[in-house]
């Protein structure tokens, strides 16, 4: 139960003792008998050898399964029971209710289903991390084991007045810090620091729209919603637009190691900023990731050039009209038709943009 999520849950249901067989460095302890002091991976081979010697091993065969690895060092991650800081799931209840009331909307609307699925399965959120960098948890412990929270560095314990204090060495989960972004960037909690304008929070919270990738819907968006609602009593934004991910032309995730990263600055230098913007807007169809290629950029650069040339020609010809005020008078059937089409497409483009259907706006 001390080193497997499923076993831990079973152990809790049956009131089993949670035994840890290795320490934080993966070194086996006295619970492991003759294998004590061995590193966990080294011990596995030793255990297999001992099973063979005692004729207890029936067979060895290949088996494909999922094993968690650290994304940085790629070592196998071992579940390990330890003392951590948690946030109760009840903190999210009010924000969930307001979302169901329609006080904030997802675009595309189907993402509400993913949000609901996540929130139905909420568990206590572990917010402490054993890392070198991060916001250190502001919890202090004195020599008499009194714990307390302090925004500033305290001089003594408020309970026993002891001056021997130690701050918790853990740091906050980065998503906890990010979850406060909607209001912490406006001076919340730092009103007297002089770093923010006095009315920043009042003037700019809540905001109107959040635009982000769908892959961090739970990690960031949901947590911003319930952190903001629980601390300020109001959702941080009304519209949540979850855009697609930009991939390479084969649909693969961009990665430096793969060498398939498309540098936007290089693309702007070669094709122009307008071409890049238009290409991304044109390709971001609802529910589909963007497969970006230089071919798309080249085509839209040519399209932008056509628009530029047409406008330049009109501006040039405009000089030939002596009575410019009459340019807005549509006197011929063709002129009136052109004006009606312009008004209609302007309305349709505006509607598409207001509803975050950017690709539709580029094809009208």
């Amino acid at each position: 139960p001390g080193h497997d999520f499923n076993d831990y849950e079973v152990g809790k249901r049956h009131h089993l003792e949670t035994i840890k067989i290795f320490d934080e460095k993966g070194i086996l302890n006295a619970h492991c008998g003759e294998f004590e002091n061995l590193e966990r991976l080294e011990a596995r081979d030793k255990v297999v050898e001992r099973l063979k010697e005692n004729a207890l091993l029936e067979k060895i065969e290949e088996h494909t399964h999922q094993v968690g690895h650290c994304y940085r060092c790629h070592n196998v991650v071992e579940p390990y029971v330890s003392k951590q800081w948690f946030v109760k799931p009840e903190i999210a209840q009010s924000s969930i209710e307001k979302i169901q009331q329609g006080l904030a909307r997802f675009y595309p609307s189907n993402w509400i289903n993913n949000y609901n699925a996540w929130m139905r399965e909420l568990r206590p959120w572990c917010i402490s991390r054993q890392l070198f960098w991060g916001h250190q948890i502001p919890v202090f412990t004195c020599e008499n084991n009194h714990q307390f929270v302090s925004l500033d560095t305290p001089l003594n314990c408020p309970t026993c007045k002891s001056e021997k204090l130690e701050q918790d060495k853990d740091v906050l989960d980065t998503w906890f810090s990010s979850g406060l972004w909607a209001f912490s960037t406006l001076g919340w909690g730092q009103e007297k620091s002089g770093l923010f304008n006095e009315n920043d929070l009042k003037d700019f919270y809540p905001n109107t729209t959040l635009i982000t990738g769908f892959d961090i819907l739970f990690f960031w968006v949901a947590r911003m919603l319930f952190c903001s609602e629980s601390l300020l009593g109001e959702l941080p934004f009304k519209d949540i637009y979850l855009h697609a991910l930009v991939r390479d032309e084969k649909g693969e995730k961009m990665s430096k190691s793969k060498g398939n990263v498309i540098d936007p600055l290089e693309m702007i230098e070669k094709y122009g900023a307008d071409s890049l913007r238009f290409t991304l807007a044109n390709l971001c169809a609802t529910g589909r990731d963007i497969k970006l290629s230089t071919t798309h950029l080249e085509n839209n650069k040519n399209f932008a050039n056509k628009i530029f040339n047409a406008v330049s020609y009109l501006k040039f010809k405009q000089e030939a009209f002596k009575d410019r005020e009459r340019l807005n008078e549509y006197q011929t059937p063709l002129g009136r038709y052109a004006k009606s089409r312009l008004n209609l497409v302007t309305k349709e483009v505006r509607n598409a943009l207001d509803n975050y259907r950017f690709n539709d706006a580029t094809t009208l």
Side-chain angles (χ1 to χ4, degrees), residues 73-103:
C73 65
H74 307 296
N75 285 325
V76 174
V77 176
E78 301 285 357
Y80 182 83
V81 175
S82 59
K83 193 172 183 179
Q84 304 290 337
W85 293 96
F86 291 84
V87 172
K88 294 181 179 179
E90 288 79 7
I91 191 177
Q93 188 57 42
S94 180
S95 65
I96 294 172
E97 292 173 357
K98 288 191 174 182
I99 292 293
Q100 303 311 316
Q101 294 168 11
L103 298 182

Side-chain angles (χ1 to χ4, degrees), residues 2-264:
H3 301 288
D4 182 87
F5 293 104
N6 293 323
D7 290 347
Y8 178 76
E9 294 297 331
V10 173
K12 282 176 59 178
R13 289 199 299 269
H14 295 279
H15 309 290
L16 301 179
E17 181 184 359
T18 300
I19 299 174
K20 293 187 287 187
I21 65 169
F22 52 74
D23 61 18
E24 294 178 353
K25 296 182 179 180
I27 305 300
L28 273 58
N29 57 31
H31 287 295
C32 301
E34 64 180 284
F35 305 107
E36 183 180 3
N37 295 324
L38 291 178
E39 200 277 332
R40 60 192 171 122
L41 298 180
E42 179 187 0
R44 291 176 181 178
D45 294 331
K46 298 291 184 181
V47 170
V48 172
E49 290 177 8
R50 181 66 70 241
L51 290 172
K52 287 181 179 179
E53 292 173 3
N54 295 330
L56 297 173
L57 187 63
E58 181 178 342
K59 62 180 178 179
I60 296 177
E61 60 183 14
E62 294 290 331
H63 177 68
T64 302
H65 63 138
Q66 290 184 325
V67 178
H69 287 72
C70 174
Y71 74 97
R72 290 184 175 177
C73 65
H74 307 296
N75 285 325
V76 174
V77 176
E78 301 285 357
Y80 182 83
V81 175
S82 59
K83 193 172 183 179
Q84 304 290 337
W85 293 96
F86 291 84
V87 172
K88 294 181 179 179
E90 288 79 7
I91 191 177
Q93 188 57 42
S94 180
S95 65
I96 294 172
E97 292 173 357
K98 288 191 174 182
I99 292 293
Q100 303 311 316
Q101 294 168 11
L103 298 182
R105 294 178 295 178
F106 289 94
Y107 297 87
S109 59
N110 60 288
W111 284 110
I112 184 67
N113 299 323
N114 297 69
Y115 170 82
N116 289 336
W118 275 108
M119 305 314 279
R120 280 195 299 267
E121 302 297 328
L122 273 186
R123 295 187 177 187
W125 174 20
C126 179
I127 60 170
S128 50
R129 296 290 185 272
Q130 294 71 54
L131 301 172
F132 289 108
W133 304 106
H135 295 137
Q136 192 171 0
I137 293 177
V139 174
F140 296 82
T141 305
C142 74
E143 60 182 336
N144 297 314
N145 289 324
H146 297 135
Q147 280 190 333
F148 60 97
V149 176
S150 177
L151 295 177
D152 304 311
T153 302
L155 298 177
N156 53 49
C157 172
T159 302
C160 65
K161 305 305 179 184
S162 170
E163 296 182 358
K164 293 184 178 180
L165 307 174
E166 182 178 6
Q167 185 173 356
D168 197 301
K169 295 180 180 179
D170 289 352
V171 299
L172 290 166
D173 174 18
T174 185
W175 294 112
F176 181 89
S177 303
S178 300
L180 310 178
W181 178 86
F183 51 89
S184 63
T185 54
L186 299 174
W188 179 84
Q190 302 184 67
E191 292 83 357
K192 298 180 181 180
S193 66
L195 299 174
F196 300 87
N197 294 324
E198 184 178 348
N199 294 324
D200 278 355
L201 187 62
K202 179 181 177 181
D203 292 342
F204 300 110
Y205 186 93
N207 211 310
T208 304
T209 305
L210 173 73
I211 299 177
T212 188
F214 68 83
D215 54 328
I216 52 176
L217 167 59
F218 176 70
F219 295 109
W220 191 38
V221 179
R223 285 163 175 169
M224 267 201 294
L225 288 169
F226 68 65
C227 284
S228 301
E229 166 63 24
S230 63
L231 292 172
L232 278 76
E234 193 171 6
L235 296 177
F237 22 71
K238 298 178 181 178
D239 292 348
I240 304 164
Y241 175 65
L242 300 172
H243 61 70
L245 300 183
V246 181
R247 301 180 181 273
D248 69 8
E249 58 186 323
K250 297 179 181 178
E252 295 183 2
K253 186 176 181 180
M254 292 188 190
S255 169
K256 290 182 179 179
S257 60
K258 292 181 180 179
N260 63 343
V261 175
I262 298 177
D263 188 333

